[in-house]
Every structure is written in C-alpha cells, then in structure tokens.
C-alpha cells in the first residue's frame, strides 16, 4: 500500500468497512435483550442486515437476474459502497446519525422481509441465518477471518523482526499511524482474532521455497525442513 488514492487502497477501505459490518452483526449475537431493544441498536441492525444481504446477492449473481427484486441501500450502483457515516455508526453507536429519514432506509424497512418483521426477540435468529448465508458464499476459512472486533494488522514493508507492526480496529487511527511514519510502503491484512495456539502461545511456520519458473507453468521447490517460531509471552 503506497498510494492512498489508488484503486487498490480504495478496495482495502471497502473491505475494512465491510469487515466492520460483519463484526457488528457477530457482536450483536452477544448482546442482551435489553440492548437489542434500543432504537439505535435496531437501526444499526437494519442497516447492517440490508447491506450484508445485498453483498451476498452480489456474490451469488442473483442481483443480475432481472426478475429478482433486489433492494440496493444508498445509491443504485454495482458496488454499493458502505459510506463513512454508516461505517462510523456501525463502529460505535455514539457516532449516531438518524438514517431513518433516508428514502433508502424507509424502503428497506418496508421491502426487506428480514428487516420489516424484526424484533428484539427474533433479531439473533435473523442474524445467524444471514451470517450462515455469508459463510456459504465465501467459504468457512474466509468467513473465520471476520471477527467481532474487525482487527487489522499494519506493518512497514521495509522492516523486519516485528518493528513498526500495530493492530488497529479503526480505519482513522490506522491511517493516522501510517501518515505519521517516515515509511512509504505498508502492508495491511486482516488480523486473525481467534488464531490457532499451542500451550497458550501464538506461533508461525517458516518454510523455505524457491520459485524457478512461473511461465509457462509454475515450478516451486520446497526445502525439506522448516521451523516454528513461538511468542515469548
């Protein structure tokens, strides 16, 4: 990641916002009935469910079916990007904005079967059903990367031994960290919030390979030995 105006960076921000949407729905499964009954929580659920259902339809190409009645939150476009306002609202209810007056929100509450009949009593069942559809659409392993904290790891591209690595849960904090550094090349990736551990320690596997050809076909040689590195604490 080197250019904040590049399409690659825009795609990354879009994925981080989508991760927040899934994180909120997963965290809602742990909410109390009293919390689910709050108007702001129901508004956040309505928005998150609408956008996630749209994303699943896009993945399945059902949105391309002219006979399929598909609701599109926000402006009608093929990508249906999550705006910053919606991202901040899903990140923290303190970032409240009244979306209930927006035409797309009103249409969503009237046309979406899952949303219009949603109550604090059936909300968790609806969320579980939709998350199960997402898991089927993207696969079990990819789905497992979406945790309830939406954690992302960022590291300088030119450093080693863990120098400069940070974990962020907020895109603005992450961007401020990157902009305040002298490093020009950065690597960002989804942080695994529930990693495999051995004796309460995280670890990684180092495997040496040598790529001798990638055209006309890929040829890779593996060294027979590898090693595991464990965290010190």
């Amino acid at each position: 990641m080197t250019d904040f105006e590049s399409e690659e960076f825009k795609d990354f921000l879009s994925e981080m916002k989508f991760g927040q949407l899934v994180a909120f729905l997963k965290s809602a499964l742990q909410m109390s009935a009293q919390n689910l009954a709050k108007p702001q929580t129901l508004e956040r659920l309505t928005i998150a469910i609408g956008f996630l259902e749209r994303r699943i339809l896009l993945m399945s190409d059902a949105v391309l079916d002219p006979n399929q009645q598909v609701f599109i939150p926000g402006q009608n476009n093929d990508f249906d990007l999550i705006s910053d306002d919606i991202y901040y609202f899903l990140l923290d209810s303190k970032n409240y904005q009244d979306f209930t007056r927006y035409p797309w929100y009103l249409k969503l509450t009237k046309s979406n079967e899952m949303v219009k009949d949603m109550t604090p009593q059936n909300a968790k069942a609806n969320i579980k059903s939709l998350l199960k559809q997402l898991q089927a659409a993207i696969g079990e392993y990819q789905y497992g990367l979406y945790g309830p904290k939406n954690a992302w790891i960022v590291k300088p591209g030119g450093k080693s031994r863990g120098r400069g690595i940070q974990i962020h849960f907020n895109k603005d904090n992450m961007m401020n960290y990157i902009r305040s550094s002298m490093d020009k090349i950065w690597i960002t990736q989804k942080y695994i919030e529930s990693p495999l551990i051995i004796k309460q320690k995280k670890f990684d596997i180092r495997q040496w390979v040598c790529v001798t050809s990638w055209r006309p076909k890929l040829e890779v040689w593996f060294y027979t030995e590898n090693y595991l590195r464990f965290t010190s604490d």
Side-chain angles (χ1 to χ4, degrees), residues 4-5 9 172 174-182 186:
F4 294 156
E5 301 300 324
F9 180 71
D172 291 341
M174 184 187 68
M175 293 305 303
N176 290 336
Y177 171 62
I178 293 175
R179 289 193 175 101
S180 66
S181 172
M182 298 296 292
W186 291 84

Side-chain angles (χ1 to χ4, degrees), residues 39-40 43-44 47 83-90 92-102 104-105:
Q40 287 189 11
E43 183 178 342
R44 296 165 81 195
I47 294 172
S83 68
D84 281 350
D85 290 342
I86 290 175
Y87 165 76
Y88 293 132
F89 187 36
L90 294 177
D92 192 333
S93 61
K94 295 178 181 178
N95 302 318
Y96 176 70
Q97 290 200 37
D98 186 5
F99 291 99
T100 61
R101 301 179 182 179
Y102 286 58
W104 61 263
Y105 184 94

Side-chain angles (χ1 to χ4, degrees), residues 25 48-53 56 114 125-135 143:
L25 289 176
I49 288 173
F51 273 86
L52 180 54
E53 191 173 54
I56 293 172
M114 187 174 291
N126 289 342
I127 295 170
K128 289 179 181 178
S129 174
L130 198 56
L131 289 177
K132 188 174 181 179
Q133 294 179 45
L134 175 65
Q135 183 176 3
Y143 175 79

